[in-house]
């Protein structure tokens, strides 16, 4: 396209708003090509290219987000509507069938409620309306509570969760409730994607400014192609790591909360198998 535009410009035609894709990685450029005239004759041309790859990717992410959120809302609404209509048609004496249908309706209403709540959380973070009242949070106290919270879930899958004793020595500057939800989400994922008999480990290291907290498991890991996208909203990766009843926004909310604390988070795979999430949060 750019060659054709240059040929047209050399023929005296001005080309504006030309969009071209280059290479296998689909880099996008916006081009303006105008002839360079000398005595009303086109003796050359000037081409100005602007790299709009990031803009195009953001547009695609927005389209994917709208498509996915529409799908996530449509599914429970369709189920609720269908079961409600069937419920209305049932004879009065069909109490057991009515009970089953009402259970399905409640289940999908809860799913819809969770989705809306998560979208509102993301909206509040994006618009900076969510205030985080930060204090010094002792990591030892935080993880002691998490160990108690997940004791039953770990036992039910025969999983072990070990805690680096050094974590208890450190404190971070943050909001206790938000930090607790960050680690709850990551531990939930570790439990969900780790087979029976597996292990989950929490460890930490720190310097004078930052504490690095690592949550790793011996589960199925994350496909390499998904590593850079697992924190995107509604991103659909490997079906083996597909959502199992959640809103699909958990890791997106985790990243937003971490960034609201002035920290960073990244995902990687352990060489010996399993996933690893590393958070860097300011030390108190």
């Amino acid at each position: 396209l750019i060659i054709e535009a240059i040929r047209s410009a050399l023929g005296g035609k001005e080309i504006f708003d030309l969009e071209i894709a280059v290479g296998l990685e689909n880099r996008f450029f916006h081009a303006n090509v105008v002839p360079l005239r000398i005595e009303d004759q086109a003796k050359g041309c000037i081409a100005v290219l602007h790299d709009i790859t990031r803009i195009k990717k953001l547009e695609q992410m927005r389209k994917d987000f709208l498509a996915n959120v529409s799908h996530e809302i449509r599914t429970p609404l369709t189920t609720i509507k269908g079961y409600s209509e069937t419920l209305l048609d049932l004879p009065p004496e069909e109490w057991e069938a009515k009970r089953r249908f009402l259970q399905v309706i409640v289940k999908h209403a809860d799913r819809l409620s969770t989705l809306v709540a998560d979208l509102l959380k993301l909206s509040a973070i994006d618009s900076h309306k969510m205030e985080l009242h930060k204090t010094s949070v002792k990591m030892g106290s935080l993880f002691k509570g998490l160990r108690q919270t997940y004791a039953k879930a770990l036992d039910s899958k025969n999983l072990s969760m070990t805690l680096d004793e050094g974590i208890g020595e450190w404190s971070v500057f943050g909001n206790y409730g938000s930090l607790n939800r960050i680690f709850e989400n990551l531990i939930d994922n570790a439990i969900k994607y780790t087979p029976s008999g597996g292990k989950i480990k929490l460890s930490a290291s720190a310097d004078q400014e930052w504490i690095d907290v690592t949550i790793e498991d011996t589960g199925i890991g994350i496909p390499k192609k998904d590593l850079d996208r697992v924190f995107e909203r509604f991103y659909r990766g490997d079906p083996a790591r597909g959502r199992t009843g959640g809103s699909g926004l958990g890791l997106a909310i985790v990243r937003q909360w971490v960034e609201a604390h002035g920290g960073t988070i990244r995902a990687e795979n352990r060489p010996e198998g399993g996933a690893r999430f590393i958070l860097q949060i300011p030390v108190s």
Side-chain angles (χ1 to χ4, degrees):
L1 286 177
I2 190 65
I3 300 300
E4 293 176 5
I6 290 173
R7 286 174 179 165
S8 297
L10 291 174
K13 184 180 180 181
E14 297 182 350
I15 305 294
F16 291 101
D17 298 327
L18 176 67
E19 195 172 287
I20 56 176
V22 179
L24 297 176
E25 297 183 358
N26 281 341
R27 294 192 66 83
F28 294 91
F29 294 87
H30 180 271
N32 292 329
V33 186
V34 297
L36 184 62
R37 302 178 186 275
I38 299 177
E39 297 179 353
D40 290 331
Q41 296 293 320
K43 300 297 183 180
C45 70
I46 298 174
V48 180
L49 281 77
H50 298 276
D51 189 340
I52 58 170
T53 304
R54 177 170 172 77
I55 294 174
K56 295 293 287 186
K57 287 183 177 179
L58 289 173
E59 287 178 354
Q60 187 59 48
M61 288 172 62
R62 179 181 61 82
K63 291 176 182 177
D64 291 345
F65 174 78
L66 290 174
N68 286 326
V69 74
S70 298
H71 171 78
E72 292 294 332
I73 291 175
R74 186 186 303 116
T75 300
L77 281 178
T78 301
T79 303
I80 290 170
K81 183 175 185 294
Y83 274 80
S84 298
E85 290 172 346
T86 305
L87 194 60
L88 289 171
D89 293 335
L90 284 175
E93 63 273 10
E94 294 283 346
W95 291 110
E96 188 58 34
K98 288 183 176 182
R99 180 175 173 275
R100 291 198 306 270
F101 288 176
L102 286 170
Q103 287 175 334
V104 173
I105 290 171
V106 169
K107 175 184 175 182
H108 284 274
D110 287 343
R111 177 181 172 186
L112 194 58
S113 177
T114 299
L115 173 64
V116 172
D118 285 347
L119 286 171
L120 289 173
K121 289 175 190 173
L122 283 170
S123 177
I125 298 171
D126 288 343
S127 60
H128 305 290
K129 291 181 179 179
M130 187 183 74
E131 294 185 12
L132 290 178
H133 300 287
K134 300 177 184 178
T135 59
S136 177
V137 178
K138 293 185 178 296
M139 297 301 290
S141 173
L142 183 67
F143 282 110
K144 181 180 178 181
L146 289 168
R147 188 195 291 276
Q148 294 173 346
T149 299
Y150 288 99
K152 186 175 180 180
L154 291 164
D155 287 343
S156 67
K157 286 193 70 174
N158 190 29
L159 301 175
S160 65
M161 186 167 77
T162 58
L163 183 66
D164 184 348
E165 295 299 328
I167 290 180
E169 302 174 5
W170 302 102
S171 296
V172 297
F173 184 61
N175 177 272
Y176 185 94
S178 296
L179 288 170
N180 192 62
R181 287 190 288 272
I182 287 170
F183 290 112
E184 280 183 346
N185 187 285
L186 295 174
I187 295 172
D188 272 335
N189 281 349
I191 292 174
K192 185 184 299 181
Y193 300 119
T194 302
S196 177
K199 299 178 180 179
I200 299 169
K201 181 180 179 183
L202 289 77
S203 57
S205 61
D207 56 27
Q208 292 183 342
E209 296 183 7
W210 301 94
I211 178 170
D212 292 341
V213 183
T214 302
I215 298 96
E216 54 187 350
D217 59 61
T218 58
I220 62 177
I222 305 170
K224 187 176 180 180
K225 64 182 179 64
D226 297 333
L227 279 173
D228 294 333
R229 303 193 64 185
V230 292
F231 297 104
E232 290 181 16
R233 302 170 189 189
F234 293 116
Y235 177 66
R236 298 178 183 274
D238 190 321
R241 292 187 66 90
R243 298 190 296 280
T244 54
S247 68
L249 295 169
L251 287 178
I253 293 175
V254 164
R255 182 179 65 177
Q256 296 290 84
W257 268 328
V258 170
E259 291 177 352
H261 280 81
T264 61
I265 183 171
R266 71 180 190 274
E268 61 184 39
N269 283 316
R270 301 169 68 242
E272 58 271 49
R276 177 186 290 140
F277 289 85
I278 300 128
L279 295 79
Q280 190 176 63
I281 306 172
V283 169
S284 178

